Amino acid sequence: MNNDTICALATPAGGAIAVIRISGPQALEILSHIYRPNSSRKSQFLANTIHYGTIQNTTGDIIDDVLVSIFRAPHSYTGEDSVEISCHGSRYIISKLLELLILNGCRQALPGEYTQRAYLNGKMDLSQAEAVADLIASTNAATHKMAMSQLRGNFSSELGILREQLLKMTSLLELELDFSDHEDLEFADRSELLELAKNIDNKIVRLSQSFEMGNAIKQGVPVAIIGKTNVGKSTLLNRLLHDDKAIVSSIHGTTRDVIEDTTIINGITFRFIDTAGIRNTTDEIERLGIERTYQKLSEAVIVLWVIDEIPDEKGIKEIIKQTAGKSLIIIQNKIDKLPVFSNSVADYRHPVLAISAKYGQGIEALEEAIFKAANIPEISENDVIITSARHYEALIQAHETFLRVIDSLENNLSGDLIAEDLRLVLSQLSEITGKGIITPNEVLGNIFKNFCVGK
């Protein structure tokens, strides 16, 4: 498949300018069949150059004036000879250009094939390839920084350091096994190995623990809006989203299903969930909506409890029980027509904010409280934060295996059992990047390089 030369539109259709990308061994030859330079001088297609000219069809008719960018292997995105044709964004021009390229030997690229070729040609590892999709899908500053960090190889570098430490452990244990008949020689200090093993496992755990925050930022921090019927939950949702997403009515039980949408506060995406009002009801559909309210409540990280009257102590304790382990913000709504309550609700150590969702009073303070409750640290492009469930699963598996390594070292078990678990850890971590499994030859080379006996 990599012997094919592929082409595809690299920009969304409908804009003023379009870019068509060609990649593969015949990219430059195919270009020479359809491109005519605007000057009389013959184009040499030197690497990292841009040329102005026309694309002509088989009968010599001009399809469009274009700019052609030349990238020669291995210094291109895919690692292959590549061409980018910048043309006008007409759908007709785009279709004719792609038809002409296919007629001259190109194949239409499959989804993700350019990035797949970049991986196969060693331009990036699997985690970096996945970061390309995350970067394209980034919707705020935080998701952009996380994707850029992974794309630049910060996660891969962390794994590379772990790999070197695991190689050291494996080499020491293999050396111990090779000279096991020499009782006077000891190569693997078990206390030193145990300390190293614990340090490695701590790093694996730290990486895996970042997934909860990374996934929340990527998907949007879930915020559930709960309360009795007709307290203004839907009005508040509309105010926070700056859009009329939910039907607002004075009739009790208007919201019978869950309504979700996202907005950005201080560079972080929050996913707000408007739920059915909690009350006793005989209406079957409304009852199902209330059941979904409790389900969404369990998924939320932050809960906004909207009230328009002082709840009794039983009601307060019930909500606090339902929101255990979550950030709870109690909101007194309708202050445009009701007096602000006393601080009696605040005695339960949860913030109480007075707002008018209808007129927008107190909304800025509420947004700041929501952002603070998310407890998102400042993220830089150097931070390594896991956002992929696939990466998280591999790290969890590696941690579970490494617990056996630590247990084996603490109980002074045989080195061959420990070495086998270390190989399994390496295999589990290598699933993240698609490379990094330690081969027997590499272990052997490391032994002679760093632990050579008698030279």
Side-chain angles (χ1 to χ4, degrees):
M1 186 175 68
N2 269 14
N3 291 327
D4 295 343
T5 297
I6 57 176
C7 65
L9 178 65
T11 53
I17 300 295
V19 176
I20 293 174
R21 178 180 286 170
I22 314 168
S23 183
Q26 304 301 316
L28 299 177
E29 181 182 344
I30 291 171
L31 177 67
S32 68
H33 293 161
I34 65 172
Y35 170 76
R36 299 294 178 268
N38 211 42
S39 65
S40 57
R41 187 176 59 183
K42 185 177 180 181
S43 177
Q44 299 298 311
F45 292 150
L46 299 177
N48 306 318
T49 57
I50 299 176
H51 306 264
Y52 174 63
T54 60
I55 298 293
Q56 299 180 11
N57 63 18
T58 53
T59 61
D61 295 327
I62 295 175
I63 295 177
D64 197 13
D65 292 338
V66 298
L67 288 175
V68 173
S69 304
I70 307 299
F71 306 93
R72 287 188 176 270
H75 305 296
S76 70
Y77 179 76
T78 59
E80 305 171 327
D81 284 347
S82 297
V83 176
E84 292 183 357
I85 302 174
S86 299
C87 63
H88 292 95
S90 159
R91 293 178 186 273
Y92 175 79
I93 291 173
I94 293 168
S95 65
K96 287 301 178 183
L97 273 175
L98 289 172
E99 286 176 15
L100 192 57
L101 288 170
I102 292 171
L103 184 64
N104 281 272
C106 276
R107 170 175 63 77
Q108 180 72 41
L110 300 172
E113 189 169 359
Y114 289 98
T115 302
Q116 181 185 26
R117 289 191 176 201
Y119 164 69
L120 293 173
N121 291 323
K123 300 296 291 186
M124 59 179 68
D125 61 33
L126 279 182
S127 68
Q128 291 172 300
E130 289 169 304
V132 173
D134 287 344
L135 186 63
I136 293 171
S138 62
T139 56
N140 57 54
T143 52
H144 174 265
K145 288 178 180 179
M146 291 190 301
M148 283 302 300
S149 173
Q150 190 167 317
L151 184 60
R152 289 181 174 180
N154 291 332
F155 185 26
S156 302
S157 296
E158 290 263 9
L159 294 176
I161 293 170
L162 290 177
R163 184 182 185 279
E164 289 300 315
Q165 293 173 331
L166 288 166
L167 175 59
K168 178 181 178 181
M169 287 188 68
T170 305
S171 300
L172 282 167
L173 289 167
E174 293 285 355
L175 193 63
E176 180 184 79
L177 292 171
D178 288 343
F179 290 89
S180 58
D181 53 338
H182 295 264
E183 296 181 358
D184 56 329
L185 294 177
E186 181 180 357
F187 300 98
D189 184 330
R190 289 301 176 97
S191 61
E192 180 184 338
L193 287 181
L194 180 59
E195 183 179 357
L196 179 59
K198 289 181 177 179
N199 288 336
I200 293 172
D201 188 54
N202 286 338
K203 290 180 181 178
I204 293 173
V205 170
R206 177 178 56 80
L207 287 170
S208 65
Q209 287 176 340
S210 71
F211 175 71
E212 183 177 356
M213 179 180 69
N215 189 54
I217 294 173
K218 184 177 178 179
Q219 304 297 333
V221 179
V223 183
I225 304 174
I226 67 169
K228 294 181 179 179
T229 58
N230 209 30
V231 293
K233 299 187 301 299
S234 296
T235 305
L236 177 58
L237 174 70
N238 291 341
R239 179 66 64 178
L240 290 168
L241 297 179
H242 308 286
D243 191 11
D244 292 334
K245 297 291 292 188
I247 297 173
V248 176
S249 170
S250 60
I251 300 172
H252 288 269
T254 303
T255 302
R256 297 190 172 201
D257 203 351
V258 171
I259 301 173
E260 296 187 34
D261 210 337
T262 60
T263 193
I264 296 174
I265 300 175
N266 295 343
I268 300 295
T269 298
F270 288 84
R271 179 161 48 87
F272 288 99
I273 309 161
D274 182 21
T275 62
I278 300 173
R279 66 169 181 164
N280 293 323
T281 180
T282 58
D283 187 295
E284 181 67 17
I285 296 177
E286 187 180 354
R287 187 181 61 79
L288 289 173
I290 294 171
E291 288 178 4
R292 292 188 181 183
T293 292
Y294 286 108
Q295 178 187 342
K296 289 297 180 180
L297 184 60
S298 67
E299 298 173 5
V301 173
I302 302 169
V303 177
L304 308 183
W305 180 24
V306 185
I307 58 176
D308 61 1
E309 61 182 5
I310 298 176
D312 58 30
E313 186 171 337
K314 180 182 178 181
I316 294 172
K317 289 182 177 180
E318 178 62 25
I319 290 294
I320 290 176
K321 178 183 176 182
Q322 292 282 349
T323 58
K326 306 177 188 300
S327 295
L328 174 63
I329 301 174
I330 304 173
I331 301 170
Q332 181 204 340
N333 191 24
K334 304 180 181 179
I335 60 169
D336 51 295
K337 59 181 181 180
L338 294 174
V340 177
F341 300 154
S342 67
N343 290 327
S344 59
V345 182
D347 294 341
Y348 288 86
R349 299 183 181 179
H350 290 281
V352 180
L353 293 177
I355 70 164
S356 170
K358 184 176 182 179
Y359 295 105
Q361 293 173 262
I363 295 300
E364 288 186 8
L366 174 58
E367 288 177 337
E368 286 300 320
I370 292 169
F371 178 78
K372 184 177 179 181
N375 196 29
I376 303 292
E378 184 69 26
I379 297 173
S380 74
E381 291 182 1
N382 296 320
D383 292 331
V384 178
I385 299 174
I386 306 304
T387 60
S388 166
R390 188 181 72 83
H391 300 170
Y392 174 70
E393 183 179 0
L395 289 167
I396 290 297
Q397 290 175 347
H399 167 60
E400 291 173 353
T401 305
F402 223 85
L403 289 178
R404 291 203 304 268
V405 171
I406 293 172
D407 183 67
S408 297
L409 287 169
E410 288 177 336
N411 290 284
N412 203 31
L413 298 184
S414 172
D416 56 346
L417 294 175
I418 302 172
E420 186 62 32
D421 276 335
L422 287 175
R423 293 189 191 96
L424 181 55
V425 172
L426 280 161
S427 176
Q428 290 162 337
L429 293 179
S430 70
E431 291 178 6
I432 296 174
T433 60
K435 61 182 182 181
I437 296 177
I438 293 178
T439 64
N441 285 339
E442 189 174 5
V443 174
L444 187 63
N446 194 64
I447 289 173
F448 282 104
K449 177 182 177 182
N450 298 306
F451 309 104
C452 185
V453 180
K455 297 184 179 179

